[in-house]
Amino acid sequence: MGEFCGAGQLCPGDFMNKETYTTLKDRIKDFEEREQQRGVRMFYLAVAPRFIEAIADALCNQKLCNRDALDRIVVEKPFGTDLESARKLNHYINKRFKAKQIYHIDHYLGKEMVQNIMAFRFANYVFEPLWNNKYIDHIQISVAEEVSVGSRGGYYDSSGALRDMIQNHLLQLLCIVAMDCPKAYEAEAIRDAKVKVLKNVRPFTPQGVFKDVVRAQYTAGEIHGKPQVGYKEEGQVAADSSTETFVAARMFIDTERWKGVPFYLRTGKCMPRQSSVIMIQFKESPHKIFKDDLMPNQLIISIQPELEIGLMFEGKVPGLHMKLESVEMDFMYKDNFKESLPEAYEALLLDVLEGDATQFMRDDQIEAAWKVVMPMLNAWKKSPKKGLLTYEAGTWGPKAANALLKPFAKDWFRLSHENGVEQKLSEPEKKAQLVAAT
Ligand code: BG6
């Protein structure tokens, strides 16, 4: 790492200024002459969408990124601000670079556990036959964040949780959970399988947005004993802002595999703790031979902060009677692997240098993801305050988000933690979460 950092050089400049690129070109030339080779060039654009065209143009005009086999351009989210702007950007970039040079990055795809989901699903024969509407009751994908908007108010107020998290990270998770097995572990096949998921998400109707989606803003509260100001009091946030910091949505995927299975997606800032979890709830056992209330099986994929896959199943409590209780079969990274975990960006940027696009989004996937969220953006633009709820910072969001789960569950799945020490929910708590709320 020290060697890597030591080899770095900083070439500061304004990316809207032509001179920046001539200076950069000279620096690269010097470097390549010294090293006596034309290296791989990676241009990583972590900029607001409105600057992308100017930078792409300059890179082209200066012939900085012009060799298909060696030069790559990495574009960070947000990729556009809606479907139309994303299409325009795609068109613009595609005219200047070859498809194989363009990498749309979503750092969730670089997370170790996210990458493990495909291995779990397709390298094991036990689960995949059950991965459909015959056995699965519903699926929850939740990315709860403890952090507030903090100093990012300027960006966030024009974005909101839907654009910031759902359009990209959560829809990517949805794709991985719901996709069919790709023909090969190879970029195009994987992207095809993911696009199919997004194209089959049932479109929200304008009225459906207010029925199937809950949005809310945090108000002042406390997180781990520390006071937290409300969203509207954050710096660079409009005093009458209607930007959402929390979204929960019920989605359906209209394919044979998923007919009738709701997918619940949720994300929010200022929640009691960071927790990114996918919970796959199986149907109740059709065998009703025991007296106890049985908890249906749950498969829990915890992406962060713990990296864990657990399967809840019913077992017999030791003793003289046939009493059942839920127990967990657990796989934890820290107990099974000694390897250190790479940072998501570390893994993804290395992929770019190696020319491996497996974990990157193709342009049609980005557009399909925008298509999914456009009905919400349009409905909220038309009626900015309609249905906009609040939740106190340090809580799990508005109650209406729980009501969305009916009749499949009463509350969003969660593991309870305190001071970083995991404390699983008690048996009655777990069962209470699951009781159908009809
Ligand atoms: C970013 C969003 O893409 O992802 C942030 O812009 C969010 O608002 C972050 O906090 C979450 O990433 P992670 O890796 O911390 O879950």
Side-chain angles (χ1 to χ4, degrees):
M1 186 68 176
E3 200 188 337
F4 178 75
C5 291
Q9 290 183 34
L10 184 65
C11 178
D14 176 350
F15 48 60
M16 297 306 278
N17 186 343
K18 246 183 169 180
E19 275 166 31
T20 304
Y21 299 90
T22 43
T23 317
L24 184 62
K25 195 172 180 178
D26 292 344
R27 293 286 275 275
I28 293 176
K29 206 168 140 234
D30 287 352
F31 177 80
E32 289 179 344
E33 275 171 14
R34 224 175 29 247
E35 296 296 317
Q36 296 179 343
Q37 62 167 322
R38 168 64 158 83
V40 169
R41 295 180 186 171
M42 173 174 76
F43 296 90
Y44 170 58
L45 274 53
V47 298
R50 65 181 185 282
F51 298 119
I52 294 179
E53 293 187 3
I55 299 173
D57 258 354
L59 293 178
C60 272
N61 295 341
Q62 292 292 335
K63 298 200 171 35
L64 277 162
C65 186
N66 60 335
R67 291 214 198 162
D68 306 1
L70 287 178
D71 300 339
R72 284 129 215 196
I73 170 165
V74 185
V75 190
E76 252 301 345
K77 62 167 270 271
F79 193 78
T81 52
D82 56 14
L83 177 60
E84 204 191 320
S85 57
R87 272 186 180 145
K88 268 174 73 183
L89 264 184
N90 274 334
H91 184 69
Y92 201 88
I93 293 182
N94 288 337
K95 271 181 85 177
R96 280 155 184 79
F97 307 100
K98 295 271 164 15
K100 68 181 224 193
Q101 291 182 274
I102 307 165
Y103 292 77
H104 295 109
I105 197 165
D106 181 318
H107 78 282
Y108 264 62
L109 297 181
K111 290 188 189 279
E112 199 59 53
M113 184 53 101
V114 174
Q115 295 193 353
N116 195 22
I117 299 174
M118 275 188 70
F120 180 81
R121 287 191 56 198
F122 304 126
N124 300 296
Y125 197 42
V126 180
F127 298 102
E128 198 48 25
L130 309 179
W131 216 263
N132 54 56
N133 60 359
K134 183 159 178 220
Y135 297 100
I136 292 180
D137 177 77
H138 76 278
I139 294 182
Q140 298 182 17
I141 301 177
S142 169
V143 176
E145 293 193 274
E146 199 179 306
V147 292
S148 67
V149 165
S151 57
R152 299 169 74 221
Y155 149 74
Y156 197 89
D157 207 34
S158 60
S159 166
L162 188 71
R163 286 189 176 96
D164 187 53
M165 297 293 287
I166 303 267
Q167 188 273 341
N168 33 73
H169 306 323
L170 276 92
L171 286 183
Q172 289 306 315
L173 297 179
L174 174 76
C175 286
I176 298 174
V177 171
M179 71 201 265
D180 293 335
C181 185
K183 290 200 181 73
Y185 191 80
E186 172 268 313
E188 291 316 309
I190 293 176
R191 291 155 152 196
D192 287 346
K194 289 181 176 175
V195 172
K196 185 179 158 201
V197 173
L198 293 172
K199 289 196 169 159
N200 281 295
V201 171
R202 188 181 302 164
F204 290 87
T205 60
Q207 305 77 17
V209 167
F210 296 100
K211 202 166 94 332
D212 292 319
V213 187
V214 170
R215 63 176 167 146
Q217 238 177 26
Y218 61 83
T219 55
E222 237 180 46
I223 304 174
H224 295 311
K226 283 201 193 130
Q228 167 64 48
V229 297
Y231 177 66
K232 285 184 191 149
E233 285 87 60
E234 299 277 16
Q236 296 174 280
V237 169
D240 63 344
S241 171
S242 54
T243 300
E244 75 290 348
T245 61
F246 175 101
V247 173
R250 175 172 46 213
M251 297 187 182
F252 288 91
I253 299 173
D254 289 328
T255 57
E256 276 308 302
R257 186 197 276 262
W258 294 119
K259 208 183 222 165
V261 177
F263 286 78
Y264 294 102
L265 274 58
R266 174 184 76 165
T267 187
K269 299 245 182 255
C270 284
M271 295 177 82
R273 71 175 203 93
Q274 182 201 31
S275 172
S276 302
V277 179
I278 298 172
M279 193 278 287
I280 290 126
Q281 163 120 21
F282 290 88
K283 294 196 168 165
E284 277 179 22
S285 164
H287 311 297
K288 305 285 179 207
I289 62 171
F290 299 103
K291 291 200 191 83
D292 307 54
D293 281 340
L294 301 187
M295 187 172 106
N297 299 110
Q298 289 183 329
L299 182 71
I300 299 142
I301 304 175
S302 179
I303 296 168
Q304 60 186 21
E306 318 63 31
L307 281 81
E308 188 178 347
I309 300 181
L311 179 69
M312 302 297 301
F313 64 96
E314 296 290 293
K316 179 184 172 299
V317 179
L320 302 177
H321 302 288
M322 188 44 120
K323 186 174 164 357
L324 304 184
E325 202 175 282
S326 300
V327 290
E328 184 171 3
M329 212 154 43
D330 223 5
F331 153 69
M332 291 176 102
Y333 266 59
K334 62 178 166 51
D335 296 341
N336 287 267
F337 296 118
K338 299 288 161 267
E339 289 81 355
S340 59
L341 296 171
E343 281 295 324
Y345 277 104
E346 188 184 348
L348 292 174
L349 294 179
L350 183 63
D351 283 351
V352 177
L353 291 175
E354 290 175 346
D356 178 0
T358 313
Q359 306 295 347
F360 294 81
M361 296 169 298
R362 208 168 49 195
D363 47 4
D364 55 342
Q365 202 186 343
I366 293 180
E367 290 179 18
W370 276 117
K371 254 192 194 159
V372 171
V373 301
M374 281 317 292
M376 303 172 219
L377 289 176
N378 290 335
W380 296 347
K381 192 172 171 195
K382 205 166 156 203
S383 316
K385 300 281 178 204
K386 185 172 168 187
L388 176 66
L389 303 172
T390 56
Y391 62 103
E392 199 180 314
T395 66
W396 290 102
K399 290 226 160 42
N402 292 358
L404 266 190
L405 301 167
K406 280 184 186 179
F408 292 87
K410 215 176 175 180
D411 201 350
W412 289 80
F413 173 82
R414 66 172 190 267
L415 301 168
S416 65
H417 287 67
E418 246 169 43
N419 304 325
V421 181
E422 187 173 336
Q423 293 175 354
K424 294 272 156 62
L425 296 183
S426 69
E427 229 10 66
E429 274 178 316
K430 274 185 258 173
K431 285 194 171 142
Q433 272 195 359
L434 282 169
V435 177
T438 39

